[in-house]
Amino acid sequence: MSRVAVPGLSSRYPIGEQLPALYAEDDFAQRFTAGLDTVLAPVFATLDNLPAYFDPRLAPADFLSWLATWVGAVDDPRWPVGLRREAVARAVELHRRRGTRRGLVEALRLVLGVVAEISGDGGASWSRTAGAQPPPAPAGEVLVRVWPGPGAEAVDAHRVHALIRTLCPVHTVCRVEVLPGPPTGEER
């Protein structure tokens, strides 16, 4: 990422106008400070707009990758800029739901544009009583069924598998079924 001079960008704080009266009429001093104004104008413009750099919906596109690293967002430069902005903006919310059904469904919808249905719980259990016997072993398998979302034509099974591998809890076995449309003709 680099911020460079923008042709024709004028400085909001021209140095030549701030010089003592002795240099106000000096041609060399005015030309010299005009050169500095050209160099400093992008710096001042960036500092004046700094809050926008931290808002993923307003930040320059080349700043998104760096911003994504701050919040641990998935960022793929091949995605459309709008999707990248949304992924960064919702990263904290998705991290909070990571490893849950809702988190997986939302991540699949956001990143790949697919609709998902998840069955099975992956075997998580707990007890209020210390030292209690664990419940019977659950099936331990989670079934993730995906189909194209509204406006999408097909599902890329490789991308679905890759995303699920990164988002499913380690102790679970996730089986993926890619369907051509909603199961049993239901609209979701």
Short mmCIF file of all heavy atoms in Angstrom, two decimals, residues 42-84:
data_model
loop_
_atom_site.label_atom_id
_atom_site.label_comp_id
_atom_site.label_asym_id
_atom_site.label_seq_id
_atom_site.Cartn_x
_atom_site.Cartn_y
_atom_site.Cartn_z
N PRO A 42 -0.75 14.99 -0.04
CA PRO A 42 -1.36 13.67 0.22
C PRO A 42 -1.28 13.27 1.70
O PRO A 42 -2.16 12.60 2.22
CB PRO A 42 -0.56 12.70 -0.64
CG PRO A 42 0.16 13.53 -1.62
CD PRO A 42 0.32 14.88 -1.03
N VAL A 43 -0.21 13.69 2.38
CA VAL A 43 -0.06 13.39 3.80
C VAL A 43 -1.16 14.09 4.59
O VAL A 43 -1.85 13.48 5.42
CB VAL A 43 1.34 13.79 4.32
CG1 VAL A 43 1.44 13.59 5.83
CG2 VAL A 43 2.43 13.01 3.60
N PHE A 44 -1.35 15.38 4.32
CA PHE A 44 -2.41 16.12 5.01
C PHE A 44 -3.79 15.57 4.68
O PHE A 44 -4.65 15.46 5.54
CB PHE A 44 -2.34 17.61 4.67
CG PHE A 44 -1.15 18.32 5.27
CD1 PHE A 44 -0.45 19.27 4.54
CD2 PHE A 44 -0.73 18.04 6.56
CE1 PHE A 44 0.64 19.92 5.09
CE2 PHE A 44 0.35 18.70 7.12
CZ PHE A 44 1.04 19.64 6.39
N ALA A 45 -4.01 15.19 3.41
CA ALA A 45 -5.31 14.64 3.01
C ALA A 45 -5.58 13.32 3.74
O ALA A 45 -6.69 13.07 4.20
CB ALA A 45 -5.36 14.43 1.50
N THR A 46 -4.54 12.50 3.88
CA THR A 46 -4.70 11.23 4.60
C THR A 46 -4.99 11.48 6.07
O THR A 46 -5.91 10.87 6.64
CB THR A 46 -3.42 10.38 4.46
OG1 THR A 46 -3.20 10.11 3.08
CG2 THR A 46 -3.54 9.07 5.21
N LEU A 47 -4.25 12.39 6.70
CA LEU A 47 -4.48 12.68 8.11
C LEU A 47 -5.85 13.32 8.35
O LEU A 47 -6.52 13.00 9.33
CB LEU A 47 -3.37 13.58 8.66
CG LEU A 47 -1.99 12.93 8.76
CD1 LEU A 47 -0.95 13.95 9.16
CD2 LEU A 47 -2.01 11.76 9.72
N ASP A 48 -6.28 14.18 7.44
CA ASP A 48 -7.60 14.80 7.57
C ASP A 48 -8.73 13.77 7.47
O ASP A 48 -9.80 13.97 8.03
CB ASP A 48 -7.80 15.88 6.51
CG ASP A 48 -6.96 17.13 6.77
OD1 ASP A 48 -6.45 17.27 7.90
OD2 ASP A 48 -6.82 17.95 5.84
N ASN A 49 -8.48 12.70 6.74
CA ASN A 49 -9.51 11.67 6.51
C ASN A 49 -9.21 10.38 7.26
O ASN A 49 -9.78 9.33 6.93
CB ASN A 49 -9.63 11.39 5.02
CG ASN A 49 -10.10 12.59 4.27
OD1 ASN A 49 -11.20 13.06 4.49
ND2 ASN A 49 -9.26 13.13 3.40
N LEU A 50 -8.35 10.44 8.26
CA LEU A 50 -7.93 9.22 8.96
C LEU A 50 -9.07 8.38 9.51
O LEU A 50 -9.04 7.15 9.37
CB LEU A 50 -6.94 9.58 10.07
CG LEU A 50 -6.13 8.43 10.63
CD1 LEU A 50 -5.32 7.75 9.54
CD2 LEU A 50 -5.20 8.92 11.73
N PRO A 51 -10.12 8.95 10.08
CA PRO A 51 -11.22 8.09 10.57
C PRO A 51 -11.83 7.22 9.47
O PRO A 51 -12.24 6.09 9.73
CB PRO A 51 -12.24 9.08 11.12
CG PRO A 51 -11.44 10.29 11.48
CD PRO A 51 -10.33 10.35 10.45
N ALA A 52 -11.86 7.70 8.25
CA ALA A 52 -12.43 6.91 7.15
C ALA A 52 -11.55 5.69 6.83
O ALA A 52 -12.06 4.68 6.36
CB ALA A 52 -12.58 7.77 5.90
N TYR A 53 -10.27 5.77 7.11
CA TYR A 53 -9.39 4.64 6.86
C TYR A 53 -9.70 3.46 7.77
O TYR A 53 -9.42 2.33 7.44
CB TYR A 53 -7.92 5.05 7.04
CG TYR A 53 -7.35 5.76 5.84
CD1 TYR A 53 -7.63 7.10 5.62
CD2 TYR A 53 -6.54 5.10 4.95
CE1 TYR A 53 -7.12 7.76 4.52
CE2 TYR A 53 -6.02 5.76 3.85
CZ TYR A 53 -6.32 7.08 3.64
OH TYR A 53 -5.81 7.72 2.54
N PHE A 54 -10.29 3.73 8.93
CA PHE A 54 -10.58 2.67 9.89
C PHE A 54 -12.00 2.14 9.76
O PHE A 54 -12.40 1.25 10.50
CB PHE A 54 -10.30 3.15 11.31
CG PHE A 54 -8.88 3.59 11.48
CD1 PHE A 54 -8.58 4.89 11.82
CD2 PHE A 54 -7.84 2.71 11.28
CE1 PHE A 54 -7.26 5.30 11.97
CE2 PHE A 54 -6.52 3.11 11.40
CZ PHE A 54 -6.23 4.41 11.75
N ASP A 55 -12.76 2.66 8.83
CA ASP A 55 -14.10 2.15 8.54
C ASP A 55 -13.99 1.32 7.27
O ASP A 55 -13.73 1.86 6.19
CB ASP A 55 -15.07 3.32 8.33
CG ASP A 55 -16.50 2.86 8.09
OD1 ASP A 55 -16.72 1.66 7.77
OD2 ASP A 55 -17.41 3.69 8.23
N PRO A 56 -14.19 0.00 7.35
CA PRO A 56 -13.99 -0.84 6.17
C PRO A 56 -14.90 -0.50 4.99
O PRO A 56 -14.59 -0.79 3.85
CB PRO A 56 -14.26 -2.26 6.67
CG PRO A 56 -14.88 -2.13 7.99
CD PRO A 56 -14.59 -0.77 8.52
N ARG A 57 -16.02 0.15 5.28
CA ARG A 57 -16.92 0.51 4.19
C ARG A 57 -16.47 1.77 3.45
O ARG A 57 -16.98 2.08 2.39
CB ARG A 57 -18.34 0.65 4.72
CG ARG A 57 -18.90 -0.71 5.15
CD ARG A 57 -20.32 -0.63 5.62
NE ARG A 57 -20.84 -1.95 5.90
CZ ARG A 57 -20.86 -2.50 7.10
NH1 ARG A 57 -20.39 -1.85 8.14
NH2 ARG A 57 -21.35 -3.71 7.28
N LEU A 58 -15.53 2.52 4.03
CA LEU A 58 -15.04 3.76 3.42
C LEU A 58 -13.56 3.72 3.05
O LEU A 58 -13.11 4.52 2.23
CB LEU A 58 -15.26 4.93 4.38
CG LEU A 58 -16.70 5.24 4.79
CD1 LEU A 58 -16.73 6.32 5.85
CD2 LEU A 58 -17.53 5.63 3.59
N ALA A 59 -12.81 2.83 3.66
CA ALA A 59 -11.36 2.80 3.47
C ALA A 59 -11.00 2.57 2.00
O ALA A 59 -11.73 1.90 1.27
CB ALA A 59 -10.75 1.68 4.33
N PRO A 60 -9.85 3.11 1.58
CA PRO A 60 -9.39 2.83 0.21
C PRO A 60 -9.22 1.32 0.02
O PRO A 60 -8.86 0.59 0.95
CB PRO A 60 -8.04 3.54 0.13
CG PRO A 60 -8.08 4.57 1.21
CD PRO A 60 -8.95 4.00 2.29
N ALA A 61 -9.50 0.84 -1.18
CA ALA A 61 -9.46 -0.60 -1.47
C ALA A 61 -8.10 -1.21 -1.14
O ALA A 61 -8.02 -2.33 -0.64
CB ALA A 61 -9.82 -0.86 -2.92
N ASP A 62 -7.01 -0.47 -1.40
CA ASP A 62 -5.70 -1.04 -1.13
C ASP A 62 -5.38 -1.08 0.37
O ASP A 62 -4.40 -1.69 0.78
CB ASP A 62 -4.60 -0.29 -1.89
CG ASP A 62 -4.46 1.16 -1.47
OD1 ASP A 62 -5.39 1.71 -0.87
OD2 ASP A 62 -3.41 1.76 -1.77
N PHE A 63 -6.19 -0.46 1.19
CA PHE A 63 -6.00 -0.45 2.64
C PHE A 63 -6.75 -1.60 3.31
O PHE A 63 -6.48 -1.94 4.46
CB PHE A 63 -6.49 0.90 3.20
CG PHE A 63 -6.02 1.22 4.58
CD1 PHE A 63 -4.74 1.68 4.81
CD2 PHE A 63 -6.87 1.08 5.67
CE1 PHE A 63 -4.31 1.99 6.08
CE2 PHE A 63 -6.45 1.39 6.95
CZ PHE A 63 -5.16 1.84 7.15
N LEU A 64 -7.70 -2.22 2.59
CA LEU A 64 -8.53 -3.27 3.18
C LEU A 64 -7.74 -4.47 3.67
O LEU A 64 -8.04 -5.03 4.71
CB LEU A 64 -9.58 -3.74 2.18
CG LEU A 64 -10.78 -2.83 2.00
CD1 LEU A 64 -11.68 -3.34 0.88
CD2 LEU A 64 -11.57 -2.72 3.29
N SER A 65 -6.74 -4.90 2.90
CA SER A 65 -5.95 -6.08 3.31
C SER A 65 -5.28 -5.84 4.65
O SER A 65 -5.25 -6.73 5.51
CB SER A 65 -4.89 -6.41 2.26
OG SER A 65 -5.51 -6.83 1.08
N TRP A 66 -4.73 -4.67 4.83
CA TRP A 66 -4.06 -4.35 6.09
C TRP A 66 -5.09 -4.27 7.21
O TRP A 66 -4.88 -4.79 8.30
CB TRP A 66 -3.28 -3.06 5.96
CG TRP A 66 -2.34 -2.79 7.08
CD1 TRP A 66 -1.48 -3.68 7.68
CD2 TRP A 66 -2.15 -1.54 7.75
NE1 TRP A 66 -0.78 -3.06 8.67
CE2 TRP A 66 -1.17 -1.74 8.73
CE3 TRP A 66 -2.70 -0.29 7.61
CZ2 TRP A 66 -0.74 -0.73 9.57
CZ3 TRP A 66 -2.26 0.71 8.44
CH2 TRP A 66 -1.29 0.49 9.41
N LEU A 67 -6.22 -3.64 6.95
CA LEU A 67 -7.29 -3.53 7.93
C LEU A 67 -7.82 -4.92 8.31
O LEU A 67 -8.13 -5.17 9.47
CB LEU A 67 -8.41 -2.65 7.38
CG LEU A 67 -9.42 -2.07 8.34
CD1 LEU A 67 -8.75 -1.29 9.46
CD2 LEU A 67 -10.40 -1.17 7.60
N ALA A 68 -7.89 -5.81 7.35
CA ALA A 68 -8.35 -7.18 7.61
C ALA A 68 -7.43 -7.89 8.59
O ALA A 68 -7.90 -8.67 9.44
CB ALA A 68 -8.44 -7.96 6.30
N THR A 69 -6.13 -7.63 8.52
CA THR A 69 -5.21 -8.28 9.46
C THR A 69 -5.45 -7.81 10.89
O THR A 69 -5.18 -8.56 11.83
CB THR A 69 -3.73 -8.03 9.08
OG1 THR A 69 -3.44 -6.64 9.18
CG2 THR A 69 -3.43 -8.54 7.68
N TRP A 70 -5.94 -6.61 11.07
CA TRP A 70 -6.19 -6.08 12.42
C TRP A 70 -7.31 -6.85 13.12
O TRP A 70 -7.29 -6.97 14.33
CB TRP A 70 -6.58 -4.62 12.36
CG TRP A 70 -5.51 -3.67 11.97
CD1 TRP A 70 -4.27 -3.98 11.47
CD2 TRP A 70 -5.57 -2.25 12.03
NE1 TRP A 70 -3.57 -2.85 11.21
CE2 TRP A 70 -4.35 -1.76 11.56
CE3 TRP A 70 -6.53 -1.36 12.42
CZ2 TRP A 70 -4.06 -0.42 11.48
CZ3 TRP A 70 -6.25 -0.01 12.35
CH2 TRP A 70 -5.03 0.45 11.88
N VAL A 71 -8.32 -7.30 12.35
CA VAL A 71 -9.47 -7.95 12.96
C VAL A 71 -9.53 -9.44 12.63
O VAL A 71 -10.52 -10.11 12.93
CB VAL A 71 -10.79 -7.26 12.53
CG1 VAL A 71 -10.89 -5.87 13.11
CG2 VAL A 71 -10.94 -7.24 11.03
N GLY A 72 -8.49 -9.98 12.03
CA GLY A 72 -8.44 -11.40 11.72
C GLY A 72 -9.46 -11.82 10.68
O GLY A 72 -9.97 -12.93 10.71
N ALA A 73 -9.76 -10.94 9.76
CA ALA A 73 -10.77 -11.22 8.73
C ALA A 73 -10.16 -12.03 7.59
O ALA A 73 -8.97 -11.93 7.30
CB ALA A 73 -11.35 -9.92 8.18
N VAL A 74 -11.01 -12.81 6.95
CA VAL A 74 -10.61 -13.50 5.73
C VAL A 74 -10.64 -12.46 4.63
O VAL A 74 -11.64 -11.76 4.46
CB VAL A 74 -11.61 -14.64 5.40
CG1 VAL A 74 -11.26 -15.30 4.09
CG2 VAL A 74 -11.64 -15.67 6.52
N ASP A 75 -9.54 -12.32 3.91
CA ASP A 75 -9.48 -11.34 2.83
C ASP A 75 -8.83 -11.98 1.62
O ASP A 75 -7.70 -12.46 1.70
CB ASP A 75 -8.70 -10.10 3.26
CG ASP A 75 -8.63 -9.06 2.16
OD1 ASP A 75 -9.70 -8.70 1.64
OD2 ASP A 75 -7.52 -8.64 1.81
N ASP A 76 -9.56 -12.02 0.54
CA ASP A 76 -9.04 -12.57 -0.70
C ASP A 76 -9.08 -11.46 -1.75
O ASP A 76 -10.16 -10.98 -2.10
CB ASP A 76 -9.91 -13.75 -1.14
CG ASP A 76 -9.33 -14.50 -2.32
OD1 ASP A 76 -8.50 -13.93 -3.05
OD2 ASP A 76 -9.71 -15.67 -2.52
N PRO A 77 -7.93 -11.03 -2.25
CA PRO A 77 -7.91 -9.94 -3.23
C PRO A 77 -8.69 -10.24 -4.50
O PRO A 77 -9.03 -9.35 -5.25
CB PRO A 77 -6.43 -9.76 -3.55
CG PRO A 77 -5.68 -10.46 -2.48
CD PRO A 77 -6.59 -11.48 -1.89
N ARG A 78 -9.04 -11.52 -4.75
CA ARG A 78 -9.81 -11.87 -5.94
C ARG A 78 -11.30 -11.56 -5.75
O ARG A 78 -12.05 -11.54 -6.72
CB ARG A 78 -9.64 -13.35 -6.26
CG ARG A 78 -8.19 -13.72 -6.61
CD ARG A 78 -8.04 -15.20 -6.73
NE ARG A 78 -8.29 -15.76 -5.39
CZ ARG A 78 -8.20 -17.04 -5.10
NH1 ARG A 78 -7.93 -17.91 -6.02
NH2 ARG A 78 -8.41 -17.47 -3.87
N TRP A 79 -11.74 -11.36 -4.50
CA TRP A 79 -13.15 -11.06 -4.25
C TRP A 79 -13.47 -9.65 -4.73
O TRP A 79 -12.61 -8.77 -4.74
CB TRP A 79 -13.46 -11.13 -2.77
CG TRP A 79 -13.35 -12.48 -2.15
CD1 TRP A 79 -13.21 -13.69 -2.78
CD2 TRP A 79 -13.35 -12.76 -0.75
NE1 TRP A 79 -13.14 -14.69 -1.85
CE2 TRP A 79 -13.21 -14.15 -0.60
CE3 TRP A 79 -13.46 -11.98 0.38
CZ2 TRP A 79 -13.19 -14.76 0.64
CZ3 TRP A 79 -13.43 -12.57 1.61
CH2 TRP A 79 -13.30 -13.96 1.74
N PRO A 80 -14.73 -9.41 -5.03
CA PRO A 80 -15.13 -8.02 -5.34
C PRO A 80 -14.91 -7.14 -4.10
O PRO A 80 -15.02 -7.61 -2.97
CB PRO A 80 -16.63 -8.13 -5.65
CG PRO A 80 -16.90 -9.58 -5.86
CD PRO A 80 -15.83 -10.35 -5.18
N VAL A 81 -14.62 -5.88 -4.32
CA VAL A 81 -14.31 -4.96 -3.22
C VAL A 81 -15.46 -4.90 -2.22
O VAL A 81 -15.24 -4.86 -1.02
CB VAL A 81 -13.95 -3.56 -3.75
CG1 VAL A 81 -13.78 -2.58 -2.62
CG2 VAL A 81 -12.67 -3.64 -4.56
N GLY A 82 -16.70 -4.92 -2.69
CA GLY A 82 -17.85 -4.88 -1.78
C GLY A 82 -17.87 -6.05 -0.82
O GLY A 82 -18.15 -5.88 0.38
N LEU A 83 -17.55 -7.25 -1.30
CA LEU A 83 -17.51 -8.43 -0.44
C LEU A 83 -16.35 -8.34 0.54
O LEU A 83 -16.49 -8.69 1.72
CB LEU A 83 -17.38 -9.70 -1.29
CG LEU A 83 -17.21 -11.02 -0.54
CD1 LEU A 83 -18.40 -11.26 0.40
CD2 LEU A 83 -17.07 -12.16 -1.52
N ARG A 84 -15.21 -7.84 0.09
CA ARG A 84 -14.07 -7.69 0.99
C ARG A 84 -14.40 -6.71 2.11
O ARG A 84 -14.07 -6.94 3.27
CB ARG A 84 -12.84 -7.20 0.21
CG ARG A 84 -12.33 -8.24 -0.77
CD ARG A 84 -11.19 -7.72 -1.61
NE ARG A 84 -10.07 -7.38 -0.76
CZ ARG A 84 -9.18 -6.45 -1.07
NH1 ARG A 84 -9.27 -5.77 -2.19
NH2 ARG A 84 -8.19 -6.19 -0.26
#
